[in-house]
Amino acid sequence: MPPDSDPPIAAHDLNHWFGTGEARKQALFDVTLKVKRGSLTVLMGPSGSGKTTLLTLLGCLREVQDGSVQLLGHELHGANGALLTTLRRRLGFVFQAHNLHNSLTARQNVVMGLQVHGNLPADQADTAASHVLHLVGLGDRLDYLPANLSGGQKQRVAVARALVGNPDVIFADEPTAALDRESGANVVDLIKRLGRERGTTTVMVTHDNRVLDQADRIVTLEDGRIVGDRQTNT
Ligand code: ADP
Ligand code: MG
């Protein structure tokens, strides 16, 4: 663990391109950003402004092409696969596209989120998974298959799966979009509490007012550039 004074995430002059030749297009321009431990940072901006690209670069899901990303004290630019794997184990991801395994129950899906962290005994893994499912309001759905859960409930299982390993950093892309008012608020409350109690740092793409109200900082992207960066008083 880096000392608390070291930011868990620091990007410096980050540029990113997609495609080759004629189709080559720059998606991020000179992005520089430091994120404080335990904070909730929201990324906003129009569709195509580079939010997902930035989130996946910070979260070791995409190779850094140009510039620097320091994550939990390690440089990602040029990092080898072993380091990236080790770092990913300390992260939690909630992406809309991250589907649940249809043949596994809610609890078994959440247990999958623990298996990347090594081998907990099965009963302890079950207990941890049940606990987090209770926290996201699914204590009465532990043994349901995804087919028997609503869209919002499935999204909460995905949130529980991201949180169960007690990650140092959570990366989330529109995690509350499919949630009703109350479960959206529960998820945000939970993330805020993890920040306070465990120092968990969260970077989240969202336009959800329930989240914006609770954010410590709102960073706005436009055409691949940071055009706004506002600390909020929470
Ligand atoms: P946002 O999440 O803000 O909607 P993205 O980060 O997904 O924006 O995309 C930023 C830019 O990069 C857009 O112009 C998009 O078309 C382009 N882009 C994103 N992913 C890819 C990809 N895999 N291949 C080619 N272009 C991409
Ligand atoms: Mg996106």
Side-chain angles (χ1 to χ4, degrees), residues 46-61:
S47 174
S49 57
K51 306 180 295 296
T52 299
T53 305
L54 178 56
L55 200 71
T56 51
L57 281 166
L58 300 179
C60 322
L61 297 175

Side-chain angles (χ1 to χ4, degrees), residues 114-177:
L114 272 172
Q115 283 170 353
V116 297
H117 295 267
N119 291 322
L120 266 190
D123 58 331
Q124 283 181 38
D126 265 3
T127 305
S130 306
H131 177 66
V132 185
L133 282 164
H134 275 96
L135 289 179
V136 298
L138 290 175
D140 57 348
R141 296 287 188 279
L142 300 178
D143 298 315
Y144 281 51
L145 291 170
N148 299 321
L149 296 171
S150 72
Q153 289 168 337
K154 280 189 272 212
Q155 185 65 6
R156 280 186 279 159
V157 176
V159 170
R161 186 179 56 184
L163 299 181
V164 70
N166 197 8
D168 291 315
V169 185
I170 299 166
F171 293 102
D173 205 341
E174 300 276 7
T176 60

Side-chain angles (χ1 to χ4, degrees), residues 43-93:
L43 299 180
M44 279 182 77
S47 174
S49 57
K51 306 180 295 296
T52 299
T53 305
L54 178 56
L55 200 71
T56 51
L57 281 166
L58 300 179
C60 322
L61 297 175
R62 209 180 269 294
E63 197 177 331
V64 176
Q65 297 171 342
D66 185 56
S68 158
V69 176
Q70 300 265 336
L71 179 69
L72 299 167
H74 298 274
E75 174 60 53
L76 300 188
H77 192 166
N80 65 35
L83 173 60
L84 295 177
T85 302
T86 308
L87 282 172
R88 281 190 204 111
R89 292 202 177 110
R90 299 173 59 187
L91 312 175
F93 298 99

Side-chain angles (χ1 to χ4, degrees), residues 99-129:
N99 288 322
L100 303 176
H101 294 270
N102 285 320
S103 58
L104 301 180
T105 66
R107 178 165 33 198
Q108 289 166 336
N109 266 288
V110 175
V111 166
M112 296 283 291
L114 272 172
Q115 283 170 353
V116 297
H117 295 267
N119 291 322
L120 266 190
D123 58 331
Q124 283 181 38
D126 265 3
T127 305

